[in-house]
Amino acid sequence: MTLAQDWKYTGVCPYDNDGWVDMRQGFGHDNRFYIQNKNAGSQCIAVYDQNGATGLCYATGLGSNFTHDWAMNMIVRLGQYPLALRVDTPELRLIKADGSMVTDVTLPADCPALRTDYFGTASGDIFSSEGGTLMITSMNEDRIYAMHFKEGRLERHFNIDHQFVARLQGDAQLHTGAEDVIEAWRAADGTTHYTYVNPTRNPVDFMLDDCDSVTGAQVIDVHQLGEQVCGTSCGFGAFALAGANYVMLSSSPNWNDGFVVARLGATGTGEIDGSTVTVVARHDNAFTGRTTRLNWLNAEPRDSASVYIYQWNPGGYIARYTLAPEASAVAPVATAGSVTYVTPAGLVSPTPVPGVNIEVTRYTDGTCQRVKMLAR
């Protein structure tokens, strides 16, 4: 695949006297960037495009945490960075994607006093009747904490047993840090996935069942790529494209702006196989100055075969890229690479099993075809 930079703008935010920036977290959407500015004199979500500040802004607070859900509604922390969450004052502000509705959320009295500096993407639509879920981690407690919002309000909150993350990462206990986030994304098969991201560990992907229990947890083995992926920079995103699943990861060895896009493997029944990770495109370090330990990446559909990738490299620049199949005069012919048969009970066989089967044909271009059949 090809990764082409569509545009770049470098005038967003210089360093402060401590070598950091007040504008630390943001995302791209519809050819614009939305970036939280926690500066005491600003306290707003500022909106930029390839020409600079648009003049559009949303009033916020002193927090650095800022994210969105799948409907591009915004969630920003009002409480002051780097203090722990409080329950005696509004801590979160929810902003509808078009700005037509804003609600402030005071956390319940039994919410733990967690220090969380950044938010990963939330699932769903927090202003809809079905709602969406934001998961957070903490650098002062080994904990995964989930908040489910419906119609712009906090409906419920709950803890998730986090021991599976440490176990899969090979640690005795959860290795937490200020840059840890949990990204929610929709896989090619339509399932909702959450990925725990720590800059120095392999990401851990998991799902939740109807009882909010963890299921399908596995490592996404990016360290097998043989290069510094994540490293000291927090940057991760995931998306589905043309029937395949992809991740974006920071590959900056010196807190800079490099990243790779990699395709995840798939099992015979089409689920994600995190043991197989193949780089399909890369953006090498291009920024020569020192940036923060952040390199935010998110993807947005362009058409059925390509996506836009947005990059916010605090202290560096904002940029938009297009990830698309390589142009070719003659499209390569996809041939069947493997055929397996899956029963309703989940048995996978190289040959049909008497009764109902799903014939799964995986092609050499990574696509997959499933056909129900009856074997006698």
Side-chain angles (χ1 to χ4, degrees):
M1 303 185 77
T2 61
L3 183 69
Q5 189 176 86
D6 302 324
W7 56 266
K8 177 171 74 172
Y9 177 74
T10 60
V12 177
C13 184
Y15 287 108
D16 60 24
N17 293 331
D18 296 324
W20 278 89
V21 291
D22 282 321
M23 302 174 73
R24 299 193 183 188
Q25 189 166 19
F27 62 87
H29 167 58
D30 198 20
N31 208 36
R32 288 181 165 185
F33 278 82
Y34 298 76
I35 305 172
Q36 159 67 356
N37 187 349
K38 67 179 182 63
N39 182 279
S42 301
Q43 297 182 45
C44 71
I45 298 168
V47 183
Y48 288 78
D49 61 19
Q50 64 265 45
N51 299 311
T54 65
L56 179 64
C57 62
Y58 301 87
T60 57
L62 293 169
S64 57
N65 314 54
F66 177 49
T67 190
H68 61 90
D69 64 12
W70 294 347
M72 306 313 294
N73 302 307
M74 294 171 273
I75 306 173
V76 62
R77 185 184 176 196
L78 300 175
Q80 184 174 354
Y81 166 91
L83 303 180
L85 297 176
R86 295 171 57 179
V87 298
D88 59 346
T89 186
E91 269 287 357
L92 303 178
R93 177 162 291 170
L94 314 181
I95 306 172
K96 203 168 177 62
D98 61 3
S100 62
M101 185 180 297
V102 178
T103 60
D104 289 349
V105 176
T106 298
L107 299 177
D110 58 347
C111 175
L114 306 178
R115 175 182 167 179
T116 175
D117 292 358
Y118 305 103
F119 290 155
T121 302
S123 65
D125 179 345
I126 60 174
F127 281 95
S128 73
S129 58
E130 293 186 356
T133 300
L134 173 69
M135 291 197 189
I136 63 175
T137 67
S138 172
M139 67 178 299
N140 65 321
E141 288 191 30
D142 291 348
R143 188 188 292 264
I144 296 177
Y145 186 66
M147 292 180 277
H148 187 76
F149 301 91
K150 275 188 179 181
E151 298 176 339
R153 59 181 176 81
L154 180 61
E155 184 211 30
R156 59 193 174 94
H157 60 106
F158 52 97
N159 289 301
I160 294 175
D161 183 5
H162 61 271
Q163 295 299 329
F164 72 97
V165 177
R167 183 178 68 254
L168 290 172
Q169 291 179 334
D171 294 321
Q173 62 185 36
L174 189 63
H175 184 86
T176 58
E179 290 83 30
D180 289 14
V181 296
I182 300 176
E183 286 283 324
W185 60 288
R186 184 183 287 115
D189 62 1
T191 54
T192 297
H193 285 247
Y194 299 92
T195 305
Y196 189 108
V197 184
N198 175 284
T200 62
R201 300 292 195 274
N202 272 321
V204 173
D205 187 76
F206 63 97
M207 296 178 286
L208 293 182
D209 63 18
D210 293 338
C211 298
D212 295 326
S213 296
V214 171
T215 182
Q218 62 174 311
V219 163
I220 298 178
D221 188 9
V222 299
H223 289 177
Q224 68 177 278
L225 299 176
E227 58 183 297
Q228 184 164 358
V229 176
C230 287
T232 54
S233 296
C234 183
F236 179 90
F239 60 92
L241 176 64
N245 297 295
Y246 296 85
V247 294
M248 304 170 289
L249 302 129
S250 176
S251 60
S252 301
N254 190 30
W255 298 4
N256 291 148
D257 62 309
F259 66 89
V260 297
V261 181
R263 183 175 60 248
L264 299 179
T267 66
T269 53
E271 287 91 10
I272 291 170
D273 178 6
S275 67
T276 303
V277 185
T278 306
V279 172
V280 298
R282 70 175 62 244
H283 167 70
D284 291 324
N285 288 333
F287 186 70
T288 56
R290 177 187 179 276
T291 66
T292 66
R293 294 192 296 267
L294 309 167
N295 195 20
W296 303 111
L297 303 161
N298 72 281
E300 181 177 62
R302 178 175 179 264
D303 54 39
S304 61
S306 61
V307 296
Y308 291 124
I309 292 177
Y310 294 93
Q311 179 186 23
W312 165 224
N313 185 236
Y317 59 82
I318 55 176
R320 194 190 77 175
Y321 307 79
T322 296
L323 178 74
E326 293 186 16
S328 175
V330 179
V333 177
T335 58
S338 66
V339 179
T340 55
Y341 299 84
V342 186
T343 70
L347 174 66
V348 180
S349 171
T351 58
V353 177
V356 176
N357 289 248
I358 301 295
E359 183 185 71
V360 181
T361 305
R362 303 203 66 81
Y363 292 91
T364 53
D365 64 351
T367 58
C368 181
Q369 176 180 281
R370 296 175 179 84
V371 178
K372 181 180 288 187
M373 61 171 290
L374 181 64
R376 299 184 185 277

